Amino acid sequence: MVELKTDASIDAMYEAGQVVGRALSAVRKAADVGVSLLDLDEVAREVLREAGATSPFLGYRPSFAPTPFPAVICASVNDAIVHGIPTSYRLRDGDLVSIDCGAHLGGWAGDSAISFVVGEPRPGDPRLIETAERALEAGIEAAVVGNRIGDIAHAIGSACRAAGYGVPDGFGGHGIGRHMHEDPSVPNEGRPGRGLPLRHGLVLAIEPMLTGGGKDGYHAAPDGWTLRTDDGSRAAHVEHTVAVTDAGPRVLTAR
């Protein structure tokens, strides 16, 4: 069931989204060579604590997961696309890191993700990340009243494919509100003019995921959570929570 949010609810979701934005900014600032992924998770936990927010990630267990998720961020490094579990792994020079974070505040959820390189980037990494961000911008620009879900999907997929990158099938964005994952799903590829019409009050988490080798294949790691590229190429993942409004898209997790 798709729920349209009131303007007051969207304002409340903005507050949750700002907590997520602060957490991601703090994690990005703390990320350096020698810092562990568990250290970064603790940085995000502290931001949530200070805001009086809770994590929709911690303890989350969808149908595919063998265990509840044990952290407040997903930390996906190099060939990990999404859902990486923070471990004692210490960041190395040149690591490509994607951090996904959520927050529950006042009964509403926010969800966002960033990708960045620690230290000196490998050739191709800046373009991969820039393309992911450009795809996100294209998806947000398409999130206007009168368009359809397929227009968002087409905008994202076109930006990714034009740059020669892969798009993992079956994973993408989603509705968000009282819960982190709500209807509708927002694919990262699709046909324009198809799918659910976009109306004022619809709130979506739009999240491109790109694989650098140009192939779409991926597999689950032994932990049952982390998705890795089949060809070992590096991946990028970015995300914003966006409200569709009569005045245009409103990014609720803007940093």
Side-chain angles (χ1 to χ4, degrees), residues 18-111:
Q18 292 308 288
V19 175
V20 178
R22 291 198 298 274
L24 288 174
S25 295
V27 168
R28 176 68 185 90
K29 184 177 180 180
D32 202 354
V33 174
V35 175
S36 76
L37 301 182
L38 285 172
D39 291 337
L40 297 183
D41 186 67
E42 183 53 40
V43 168
R45 287 176 189 252
E46 181 59 26
V47 173
L48 295 182
R49 281 193 292 264
E50 289 180 354
T54 59
S55 170
F57 289 17
L58 186 63
Y60 180 59
R61 188 178 183 181
S63 58
F64 67 80
T67 58
F69 197 76
V72 305
I73 62 170
C74 296
S76 306
V77 181
N78 297 332
D79 66 329
I81 306 167
V82 287
H83 301 163
I85 295 175
T87 65
S88 59
Y89 175 83
R90 295 190 177 277
L91 294 171
R92 302 170 184 173
D93 186 55
D95 277 346
L96 196 167
V97 184
S98 296
I99 302 292
D100 194 354
C101 184
H104 265 132
L105 182 70
W108 297 99
D111 190 9

Side-chain angles (χ1 to χ4, degrees), residues 114-133:
I114 57 173
S115 287
F116 56 87
V117 175
V118 175
E120 185 69 22
R122 291 188 184 182
D125 283 350
R127 180 173 179 266
L128 177 63
I129 295 171
E130 288 165 7
T131 302
E133 293 173 344

